[in-house]
């Protein structure tokens, strides 16, 4: 038994995979209400994890940073599905490979697993109670512990003399204990008071509420103290300093001392001691994934050494290079994962070449009521170039709200049609799909065949383009008709919602698949749309979610990216103002004045989290109030998620056709809606919405040439919400907002509300452009030399990348 597990043996009655499956299936049946087991799933999961009879793949899936309870229903559903999948997977292949690979790095333990998979309890001095506390920090195995990196380091390296202590600074002394006694100090609580000295003088030290320190500080022992020096009765003193008995191998003081994230009942001292044990016993088993050549080129230490230095650095230099290496390793595996995914996509099957006939492009541009912006032109060129090749395009078209992505997409669809192929365009909501249908029809003048594309002599196209619409609101017979038109190739373009990727839809001549607002869809849905065709189609995905470049490289690394970084001319920035609720009437007056000028307004109802039904009810009440009490003389319409597609469509139509002055809506108008005559966006309860969503709301106005306004009302915003509102008022640049959002909330939260999945990065900084670009370069170089990463020296790297891809990237797109 090479690595005996310490602490209590696992109870034989602990629930295992079978019980876990039962509970999760029940949870699924009960609609993810956390009601499958008494006391909640989190407690049950903790027991299962402690029980330990789990395969690593299952175990790693069970980890939840903030518990099942804190997940929203969608995230719960996804997580349950994943765990069930892991439970279903036969225990072979990758799991096995991973174990063998790791075992190469050291002897296997008694359990047949790898030392790094041992529970935290395997570390000397870790009790079951302590293990449970670590678990709250997401640390379950020895491997987790080793990658539980300090948040920062206290520079307790340079020891000074008592005589030289400076008040108010963090400093370290090495002293002898003269006396140490347990006493009542301060607010009547027991603590320790000690007198210590070195050859330059003596000083007083107190530890509030820590009487036990007195028992550990025997007179004449040598200790090192570190902390901020304060003044007590005119003399320097330490209050609650970090301390450690002197040795030539210090853990807490006299060095760069790690500072870890803590949780209740887990002191910095304890974490340091436990990590230290773990590092000493287990760091050597950390497998080296970086090829030697690369490591040498960068002067990186080997993996175990890097882990050691990251926790207990010998010097600032050693620390810096260790951290750089660990971060690089994470970024490299992400880049390898996305590049391998991209390659798989490109090599899956050749796509049809779809060159855009010069004349068709000319006719199209001539038929537009405006000229494309340079940015639109540049992006369109890139897309058309891709489509003129056999390698399937996989391009992301990114552009802030209102930058004009739809017209670019339309031109791309036209290229497919001009070559006798079909195009499909999928949008996340019916409102949006219907809007696209209208845009396409008006630009391509399909039905009548009377537009400039056809009437010019010679005509640019032989016959009118047939555009079909597919969404949930269609009747069964309408749907059947569209299915038939799509399957026979009679429909050139099909626009729609998720209905496009449902059973029964085939597009035998699909040449181009477009996904709008792609962050609303999953990768499977994206692939499914492309899969409606019989050959590999080109793929264009569009998003208005401004993603900082670093993140784009990470999350969309498998896509080529084009950015429309310019707004159509004549747009005026939307003036944004944040008003307290007592000035609500001013906002209403303003709306009224704009309406008098012939403009229209949106009023967004406050967010009600509980359910769409409640949300709908609240919106209806607000709508009634506004209509009766505030704007009795104006025409108002209501829009919420519980209305039928037809009702929604009708409300949008009336607003668009100016039959209605004010559209009162829930967050359903968040994406894509385009009504250029609307100039006011009034958001109630603005503090409840995130920056990204507020930016989307604001993007609904300022789409014409009139000056537009966004008014944010917030009743009692928190500090953080106030910061958000201030940022909103200070910039209209989506990228700036996204970066601010990312800084404000951190990557986890940033993506939590925006899209699922996020690489599990322990060390790397997703805002570090240079590091990410470097990792990408190296990943490309590696894949060029060894496309499948099959050489022995690349095997571990490949496994790590595959794990990264499976765990995160899948969820992201
Ligand atoms: P988004 O990128 O948010 O999807 P849209 O494609 O909905 O933006 O375009 C926003 C509005 O701008 C539409 O009304 C569209 O007709 C108009 N538009 C697009 N391109 C131009 C342009 N080059 N010049 C003027 N108006 C444009
Ligand atoms: Mg759009």
């Amino acid at each position: 038994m090479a690595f005996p597990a310490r602490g209590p043996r696992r109870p034989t009655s602990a629930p295992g995979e079978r019980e876990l499956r039962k509970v999760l299936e029940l949870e699924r049946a009960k609609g993810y209400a956390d009601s499958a087991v008494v006391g909640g799933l989190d407690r049950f999961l903790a027991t299962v994890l402690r029980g330990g009879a789990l395969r690593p793949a299952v175990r790693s899936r069970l980890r939840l940073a903030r518990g099942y309870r804190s997940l929203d229903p969608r995230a719960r559903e996804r997580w349950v599905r994943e765990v069930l999948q892991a439970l279903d997977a036969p225990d072979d292949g990758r799991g096995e490979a991973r174990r063998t690979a790791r075992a190469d790095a050291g002897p296997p333990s008694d359990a047949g697993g790898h030392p790094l998979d041992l529970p935290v309890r395997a570390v000397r001095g870790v009790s079951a109670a302590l293990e449970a506390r670590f678990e709250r920090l997401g640390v379950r195995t020895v491997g987790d512990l080793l990658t539980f990196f300090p948040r920062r380091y206290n520079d307790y390296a340079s020891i000074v003399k008592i005589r030289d202590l400076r008040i108010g600074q963090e400093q370290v002394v090495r002293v002898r204990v003269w006396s140490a006694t347990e006493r009542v100090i301060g607010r009547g609580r027991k603590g320790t008071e000690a007198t210590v000295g070195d050859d330059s003088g003596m000083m007083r030290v107190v530890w509030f509420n820590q009487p036990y320190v007195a028992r550990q500080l025997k007179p004449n022992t040598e200790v090192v103290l570190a902390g901020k020096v304060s003044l007590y009765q005119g003399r320097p003193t330490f209050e609650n300093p970090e301390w450690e008995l002197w040795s030539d191998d210090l853990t807490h003081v006299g060095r760069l001392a790690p500072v870890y994230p803590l949780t209740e009942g887990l002191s910095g001292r304890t974490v340091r001691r436990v990590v230290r044990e773990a590092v000493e016993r287990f760091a050597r088993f950390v497998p080296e994934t970086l090829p030697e050549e690369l490591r040498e080129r960068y002067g990186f230490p080997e993996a175990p050494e890097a882990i050691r230095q990251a926790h207990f650095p010998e010097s600032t230099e050693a620390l810096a290079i260790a951290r750089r290496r660990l971060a690089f390793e994470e970024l490299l595996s992400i880049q390898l994962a996305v590049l391998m995914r991209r390659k798989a996509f490109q090599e899956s099957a050749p796509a049809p070449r779809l060159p855009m006939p010069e004349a068709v492009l000319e006719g199209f541009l001539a038929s537009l009521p405006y000229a494309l912006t340079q940015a639109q032109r540049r992006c369109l060129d890139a897309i058309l170039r891709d489509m003129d090749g056999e390698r399937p395009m996989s391009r992301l078209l990114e552009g802030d709200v209102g930058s004009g992505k739809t017209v670019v997409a339309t031109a791309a669809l036209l290229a497919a049609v001009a070559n006798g192929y079909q195009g499909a365009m999928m949008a996340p909501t019916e409102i949006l799909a219907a809007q696209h249908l209208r845009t396409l029809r008006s630009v391509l003048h399909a039905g009548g065949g009377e537009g400039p594309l056809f009437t010019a002599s010679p005509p640019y196209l032989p016959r009118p383009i047939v555009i079909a619409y597919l969404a949930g609101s269609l009747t069964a017979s309408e749907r059947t008709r569209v299915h038939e038109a799509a399957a026979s190739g009679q429909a050139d373009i099909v626009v729609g919602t998720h209905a496009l990727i449902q059973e029964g839809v085939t597009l035998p001549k699909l040449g181009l698949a477009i996904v709008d607002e792609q962050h609303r869809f999953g990768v499977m849905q994206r692939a499914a749309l492309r899969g409606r065709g019989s050959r590999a189609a080109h793929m264009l995905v569009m998003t208005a979610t401004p993603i900082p470049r670093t993140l784009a490289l990470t999350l969309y690394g498998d896509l080529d990216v084009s950015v429309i970084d310019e707004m159509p001319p004549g747009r005026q920035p939307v003036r944004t103002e944040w008003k307290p609720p007592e000035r609500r009437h001013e906002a209403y007056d303003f709306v009224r004045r704009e309406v008098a000028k012939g403009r229209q307004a949106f009023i967004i109802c406050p967010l009600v989290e509980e359910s769409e039904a409640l949300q709908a009810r609240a919106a209806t009440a607000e709508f009634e109030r506004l209509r009766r009490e505030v704007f009795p003389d104006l025409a108002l319409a209501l829009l919420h998620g519980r209305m039928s597609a037809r009702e929604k469509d009708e409300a949008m139509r009336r607003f668009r056709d100016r039959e209605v002055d004010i559209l009162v809506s829930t967050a359903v108008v968040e994406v894509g809606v385009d009504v250029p005559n609307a100039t006011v966006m009034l958001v109630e309860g603005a503090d409840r919405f995130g920056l990204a969503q507020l930016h989307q709301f604001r993007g609904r106005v300022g789409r014409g040439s009139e000056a537009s306004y966004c008014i944010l009302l917030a009743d009692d915003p928190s500090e953080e919400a106030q910061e958000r509102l201030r940022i909103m008022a200070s910039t209209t640049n989506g990228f700036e907002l996204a970066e601010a959002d990312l800084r404000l909330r951190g990557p986890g939260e940033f993506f939590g509300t925006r899209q699922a999945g996020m690489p599990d990065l322990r060390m790397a900084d997703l805002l570090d452009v240079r590091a990410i670009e470097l990792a990408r370069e190296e990943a490309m170089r590696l894949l060029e030399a060894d496309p499948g990463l099959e050489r022995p020296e690349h095997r571990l790297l490949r496994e790590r990348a595959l794990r990264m891809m499976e765990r995160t990237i899948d969820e992201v797109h």
Side-chain angles (χ1 to χ4, degrees):
M1 216 160 72
F3 300 100
R6 314 223 170 213
R9 291 256 102 204
R10 70 177 64 125
T12 44
S13 62
E17 292 195 1
R18 253 191 48 211
E19 290 77 5
L20 178 62
R21 176 195 303 277
K22 269 201 210 139
V23 165
L24 292 184
E25 279 167 354
L26 185 60
E27 176 67 9
R28 183 170 60 187
K30 292 179 132 193
Y32 311 100
D34 199 10
S35 59
V37 277
V38 180
L41 217 55
D42 285 313
R43 239 171 68 195
F44 172 75
L45 292 175
T47 328
V48 175
L49 280 159
R50 260 199 305 282
L54 300 173
R55 286 167 289 167
V58 174
R59 178 174 288 277
S60 73
R61 281 244 156 55
L62 281 192
R63 289 173 197 163
L64 280 166
R66 270 171 306 165
Y68 184 77
R69 243 184 72 177
S70 70
L71 299 180
D72 67 29
R74 247 185 56 217
R76 285 182 178 182
E77 182 191 338
R78 187 173 52 235
W79 178 83
V80 168
R81 191 181 51 220
E82 280 183 5
V83 176
L84 285 173
Q85 271 167 7
L87 285 168
D88 285 340
D91 187 19
D92 59 5
R94 248 181 29 70
E96 200 53 53
R98 176 180 169 205
R99 201 169 304 146
T100 4
R102 278 189 158 191
D104 290 350
S109 78
D110 60 326
H114 189 274
L116 297 184
D117 289 333
L118 287 172
V120 169
R121 194 167 3 119
V123 176
R124 200 171 62 183
V126 177
S127 63
L130 196 52
E131 184 173 68
R133 283 180 213 139
F134 269 109
E135 198 164 318
R136 260 189 268 145
L137 293 168
V139 176
R140 299 203 166 83
T141 63
V142 167
D144 293 341
L145 202 52
L146 293 178
T147 51
F148 184 64
F149 293 118
R151 232 192 332 222
R152 60 188 176 86
Y153 305 80
N154 280 332
D155 186 357
Y156 288 159
S158 41
I159 295 180
V160 303
K161 295 289 182 196
I162 289 180
R163 190 182 49 216
D164 300 328
L165 284 176
R166 296 261 198 72
I167 309 297
Q169 296 196 358
E170 298 260 356
Q171 285 166 97
V172 191
V173 293
R174 176 178 163 189
V175 292
R176 217 167 264 286
V177 177
W178 291 11
S179 69
T181 47
E182 193 180 309
R183 279 191 38 184
V184 173
I185 317 174
R187 284 156 292 147
R189 298 270 214 90
K190 278 198 171 172
T192 296
E193 184 178 59
T195 306
V196 301
D198 62 12
D199 57 14
S200 76
M202 55 164 283
M203 69 187 298
R204 173 181 179 265
V205 187
V206 291
W207 283 272
F208 298 110
N209 303 330
Q210 299 179 44
Y212 48 86
V213 174
R215 292 191 288 281
Q216 290 164 323
L217 295 181
K218 301 271 184 305
N220 219 24
T221 46
E222 230 185 330
V223 294
V224 182
L225 305 173
K228 202 182 225 166
V229 181
S230 57
L231 206 58
Y232 178 74
Q233 296 184 345
R235 301 177 54 91
T237 183
F238 276 119
E239 288 179 5
N240 290 342
E242 288 276 1
W243 67 276
E244 187 171 359
L245 295 179
W246 166 259
S247 74
D248 51 13
D249 186 17
L250 292 161
T251 302
H252 308 284
V253 291
R255 59 172 310 127
L256 280 175
V259 180
Y260 293 96
L262 301 177
T263 184
E264 195 170 331
L266 204 52
S267 71
R269 225 175 147 74
T270 307
V271 176
R272 251 182 250 132
R273 179 175 58 72
V274 172
V275 174
R276 180 93 199 225
E277 274 296 324
V279 166
E280 262 158 32
R281 266 179 90 87
F282 296 105
R284 64 202 152 108
F285 298 114
V286 174
E288 178 57 74
T289 65
L290 295 184
E292 197 174 334
E293 178 275 326
L294 200 150
R295 225 171 51 233
E296 276 174 6
R297 194 146 41 83
Y298 284 93
F300 284 153
E302 288 188 24
E305 177 63 9
I307 294 279
R308 233 172 261 135
Q309 293 293 340
H311 289 286
F312 298 98
E314 271 158 24
S315 64
T316 20
E317 296 75 42
L319 173 63
I321 188 87
R323 291 189 65 106
R324 241 193 339 271
R325 181 221 137 101
L326 294 166
F328 180 82
E329 198 173 9
E330 289 177 349
L331 296 174
L332 182 68
S333 15
I334 293 181
Q335 291 305 329
L336 286 170
V338 294
L339 290 173
M340 279 157 77
R341 170 187 288 278
R342 171 190 160 107
K343 197 157 154 281
F345 174 82
Q346 287 176 341
E347 288 170 4
S348 52
R353 279 193 55 189
L354 304 171
M356 174 70 121
E358 195 59 37
V360 174
L361 181 61
E362 261 169 43
F364 173 76
L365 294 176
S367 73
L368 294 176
Y370 45 75
L372 292 188
T373 61
Q374 290 222 2
Q376 283 172 315
R377 196 54 221 251
R378 177 171 43 75
C379 292
L380 178 57
D381 285 348
I383 290 165
L384 295 179
R385 220 176 306 125
D386 284 356
M387 290 176 66
D388 190 7
E390 287 210 324
R391 217 175 66 176
M393 166 167 76
S394 52
R395 188 169 284 277
L396 172 72
L397 179 60
E398 202 182 332
D400 209 345
V401 287
S403 59
K405 293 181 289 293
T406 318
V407 67
V408 175
T410 308
L413 288 168
L414 189 55
V417 176
N419 284 279
Y421 278 83
Q422 292 172 302
M425 177 139 123
M426 181 163 71
T429 65
E430 276 215 57
I431 295 179
L432 213 51
Q435 181 177 294
H436 285 329
L437 175 69
R438 241 181 354 264
T439 307
L440 288 173
R441 288 213 163 125
S442 75
V443 176
L444 302 176
H445 281 266
E450 253 129 54
L453 273 173
F454 309 98
T455 50
S457 54
Y460 296 111
L461 290 175
R463 65 170 173 88
I465 299 174
V466 179
I467 306 177
Y469 178 69
L470 196 55
S473 65
L474 297 192
T475 64
S477 65
E478 284 170 332
R479 194 172 315 146
T480 310
R481 205 144 12 95
V482 176
H483 285 184
E484 281 167 11
S488 68
Q490 186 218 339
D492 298 304
I493 296 175
V494 188
V495 192
T497 58
H498 291 85
L500 274 175
I501 50 175
Q502 262 144 28
E503 240 5 83
V505 181
T506 49
L507 294 153
K509 295 222 72 183
L510 185 65
L512 171 67
I514 301 181
V515 178
D516 190 21
E517 306 292 351
Q518 78 94 34
H519 61 289
R520 294 297 192 88
F521 296 100
V523 71
M524 299 316 288
Q525 293 169 317
R526 196 172 91 188
L529 179 59
R530 191 172 173 256
R532 292 294 119 186
S534 53
R535 275 185 86 180
H538 294 283
M539 171 70 81
L540 177 68
V541 300
M542 308 199 286
T543 184
T545 309
I547 293 166
R549 177 171 160 67
T550 50
L551 287 173
L553 269 180
T554 307
L555 298 171
Y556 301 122
D558 60 334
L559 303 172
D560 296 305
V561 180
S562 291
V563 183
I564 306 185
D565 51 7
E566 176 188 358
M567 285 292 174
R571 294 281 169 82
Q572 303 189 27
V574 180
R575 277 196 38 197
T576 305
E577 212 179 314
W578 158 32
K579 284 184 192 294
E582 60 271 18
R583 291 173 61 193
R584 182 171 281 115
H585 64 277
E586 289 175 24
Y588 291 154
D589 289 346
F590 188 79
V591 167
R592 191 175 282 290
R593 281 203 301 278
E594 284 292 301
V595 170
K597 283 197 255 171
R599 314 269 169 267
Q600 292 162 285
F602 292 97
I603 297 183
I604 304 294
C605 301
L607 192 65
V608 182
E609 305 270 3
E610 285 79 3
S611 73
E612 205 166 66
L614 273 182
Q615 175 86 48
R617 206 175 321 144
T620 309
E622 175 71 357
F623 170 69
E624 290 300 337
R625 186 185 72 82
L626 289 167
R627 186 165 67 162
R628 294 224 175 88
E629 296 168 21
V630 188
F631 302 111
D633 50 329
L634 302 182
L636 275 65
L638 173 65
L639 189 67
H640 65 66
R642 270 304 180 92
M643 289 162 50
S644 74
R646 281 189 197 286
E647 289 168 331
K648 280 190 228 171
D649 216 40
E650 177 60 10
M652 277 311 296
R653 186 199 60 73
R654 292 176 59 213
F655 189 57
R656 206 171 35 240
D657 295 347
R658 303 198 193 178
E659 290 171 22
V660 164
D661 306 307
I662 301 174
L663 186 67
V664 179
S665 174
T666 59
V668 294
V669 294
E670 181 199 339
V671 278
V673 169
D674 185 36
V675 180
N677 189 50
T679 54
V680 189
M681 168 57 66
L682 187 134
V683 184
E684 285 279 0
D687 52 323
R688 308 256 197 113
F689 296 104
L691 273 177
Q693 212 171 5
L694 289 174
H695 182 61
Q696 279 285 346
F697 289 143
R698 182 166 58 186
R700 297 311 109 225
V701 296
R703 299 171 82 85
S705 54
E706 302 300 329
S708 296
Y709 307 87
C710 175
I711 307 172
L712 306 170
L713 290 170
D715 280 338
D716 183 20
S718 66
E719 278 294 319
E720 205 220 288
Q722 291 188 28
E723 181 65 21
R724 276 202 303 272
L725 298 174
R726 265 194 297 275
I727 294 173
M728 273 302 287
S730 71
T731 179
T732 54
N733 180 315
F735 285 86
E736 270 175 35
L737 280 169
E739 300 225 351
D741 207 11
L742 186 58
R743 261 195 308 276
L744 220 57
R745 292 192 294 163
E749 289 285 309
F750 182 86
F751 282 100
T753 57
R754 200 173 288 236
Q755 45 193 328
M758 184 60 206
D760 178 19
L761 299 181
R762 303 291 171 93
M763 192 57 100
D765 177 1
L766 279 183
L767 294 175
D768 186 346
V769 192
R770 269 198 46 213
I772 292 174
E773 283 174 347
L774 206 61
R776 188 167 181 87
E777 271 168 37
E778 291 297 346
M780 285 178 174
R781 191 197 301 240
L782 277 165
L783 289 174
E784 207 159 285
D786 181 12
L789 291 184
E790 272 148 9
R791 293 188 201 153
E793 68 268 29
H794 295 155
R795 205 184 48 191
L796 288 174
L797 200 50
R798 175 164 183 273
E799 293 212 357
R800 188 167 171 158
L802 286 177
R803 244 180 299 146
M804 185 71 88
M805 179 148 82
E806 161 192 275
R807 207 171 48 213
T808 63
I809 308 297
D810 249 358
E811 301 168 13
V812 168
H813 288 285

